[in-house]
Amino acid sequence: WDEKEMGFPCPKNADGSLRLRNAHLKQLDCDVLYHLGLDTSTDLRAMFEDVKFVCMGGTKHRMREFAIHMCRVLGVEETKLLNLTKHAHRYAMYKVGPVLSISHGIGIPSMSVVLQEVLKLLHYAGSRDPVFFRIGTSGGLGVPPGSVVVSAWGLSGTLEKSYDVPVLGKIRKLPSFFDERLCQEVAAAASGDGYSTYIGGTMAADDYYRGQARLDGPLCDYTEAEKMAFLRTLSELGVRNIEMEATAFAGYTREAGVRAADVCVTLLDRLQGDQVTSSKSTMMGWQMRPIELVGRYIAEHCRSQ
Ligand code: R2B
Ligand code: URA
């Protein structure tokens, strides 16, 4: 933790548990984690103290697949899989040993709500040194479809390495860099898998269509030449893929003092087109790549602990 760079002391206790930078929380008799359907009147410590890894991804289906995969990898009985946030009807959350698998929906607003409640959940549970992952899909930039990109940083829609969020009427800029060591360790775990893995920049757009320079949205007011010039600019900046969460995921995890990595498969090469046209079975296979890669990383780290 570089206090000078960050501007505040490490928001973690000596034992690695999360010390959230919000004095107001201490005044709450009961904190309701509304979108998770949990609150601090239940024994969160008993349920979640052993959590070491949190893996988030867009869809409930994929995060159930990840949980099933982790059952196999860690030798946990699959029949015990329960959606722990079922009553809130928003997201899905499964627990497999020390691993939480959580869906976050599409885009930064949806992802940041559940991410912040999970940070509070792990704070109340006293979980120590949790590591966060996002496994996702994305559009690639100049890389073959099916490649995996591990994000070094997130780039905003206005081409800044920050998550810009309005707070009390003013834009707050949270730097959007991912943990360098974790990023390299995850990418290294992919070698020999029969597809290419890249460490690169990830643009997080607030929109799937114009926000990602597509020509196939319901509304489009730029030319194909302008689109291609923009995508080439991104590529020259070191962006390897485009998705919709990287900046906020990096910004919030970094501010909370937790290590995080964003691992996405590319479903198409945006320099070649806009529509996702590969067959369902091909894409299902591609979507297993981040699952298996992060699963392998976690399994290796569980074994060495
Ligand atoms: C990738 O895929 C989703 C949009 O299709 C979005 O959540 C993202 O980041
Ligand atoms: N997800 C995105 O956000 N963009 C793509 O092009 C593909 C998946």
Side-chain angles (χ1 to χ4, degrees):
W1 183 268
D2 187 335
E3 190 171 330
K4 225 165 131 197
E5 188 195 326
M6 295 298 294
F8 51 87
C10 180
K12 263 188 186 173
N13 299 310
D15 65 356
S17 58
L18 307 184
R19 183 174 59 224
L20 297 180
R21 296 174 64 228
N22 179 5
H24 302 284
L25 290 178
K26 289 200 184 70
Q27 285 155 25
L28 294 174
D29 290 332
C30 177
D31 189 357
V32 178
L33 308 175
Y34 167 57
H35 304 85
L36 294 178
L38 292 166
D39 66 57
T40 53
S41 73
T42 48
D43 191 352
L44 297 177
R45 200 171 268 276
M47 291 169 79
F48 299 106
E49 187 182 10
D50 64 341
V51 170
K52 289 275 171 219
F53 303 96
V54 175
C55 190
M56 307 179 83
T59 73
K60 291 182 180 184
H61 175 80
R62 191 170 350 112
M63 298 325 288
R64 197 180 143 78
E65 288 296 305
F66 180 75
I68 292 170
H69 181 72
M70 290 317 298
C71 284
R72 293 188 193 133
V73 168
L74 300 177
V76 174
E77 225 182 295
E78 248 177 70
T79 47
K80 293 193 181 136
L81 270 189
L82 288 179
N83 176 1
L84 301 172
T85 71
K86 201 170 164 203
H87 300 297
H89 301 288
R90 288 282 180 188
Y91 304 97
M93 174 162 76
Y94 302 96
K95 185 171 183 297
V96 179
V99 182
L100 281 184
S101 178
I102 307 169
S103 71
H104 63 56
I106 288 186
I108 289 171
S110 178
M111 189 280 300
S112 69
V113 168
V114 65
L115 173 59
Q116 291 178 85
E117 288 185 10
V118 170
L119 286 168
K120 290 207 290 176
L121 174 73
L122 296 189
H123 160 72
Y124 291 126
S127 146
R128 289 169 294 277
D129 293 312
V131 178
F132 280 58
F133 297 95
R134 189 182 102 74
I135 52 173
T137 56
S138 62
L141 266 189
V143 303
S147 301
V148 169
V149 178
V150 184
S151 310
W153 35 265
L155 193 72
S156 73
T158 48
L159 310 191
E160 291 178 280
K161 290 180 186 131
S162 62
Y163 168 46
D164 299 352
V165 59
V167 177
L168 304 186
K170 291 203 180 103
I171 291 287
R172 181 82 53 90
K173 282 186 180 297
L174 309 184
S176 52
F177 296 93
F178 285 99
D179 186 271
E180 211 177 309
R181 182 163 59 95
L182 181 64
C183 169
Q184 281 167 7
E185 285 172 358
V186 172
S191 57
D193 270 346
Y195 57 85
S196 303
T197 306
Y198 300 83
I199 294 177
T202 297
M203 183 189 167
D206 279 341
D207 171 50
Y208 184 82
Y209 290 101
R210 282 191 290 194
Q212 298 189 22
R214 283 189 150 80
L215 298 173
D216 62 346
L219 306 157
C220 185
D221 41 17
Y222 43 80
T223 64
E224 180 169 13
E226 286 169 327
K227 163 197 158 172
M228 292 310 291
F230 177 70
L231 293 183
R232 271 194 295 274
T233 300
L234 289 182
S235 187
E236 280 157 18
L237 289 172
V239 173
R240 290 289 160 269
N241 66 341
I242 305 175
E243 41 85 293
M244 299 180 67
E245 293 87 9
T247 48
F249 189 61
Y252 279 136
T253 50
R254 185 174 177 274
E255 187 180 3
V258 300
R259 301 205 295 146
D262 189 5
V263 183
C264 291
V265 72
T266 62
L267 301 182
L268 75 166
D269 180 358
R270 288 300 315 288
L271 299 179
Q272 308 295 326
D274 294 336
Q275 300 233 320
V276 176
T277 53
S278 297
S279 71
K280 202 167 168 214
S281 67
T282 299
M283 282 199 291
M284 283 297 166
W286 286 347
Q287 287 189 44
M288 284 309 291
R289 292 175 177 179
I291 290 179
E292 284 167 3
L293 178 49
V294 170
R296 183 178 316 144
Y297 178 90
I298 291 175
E300 278 168 15
H301 283 257
C302 285
R303 270 196 292 276
S304 66
Q305 258 168 19

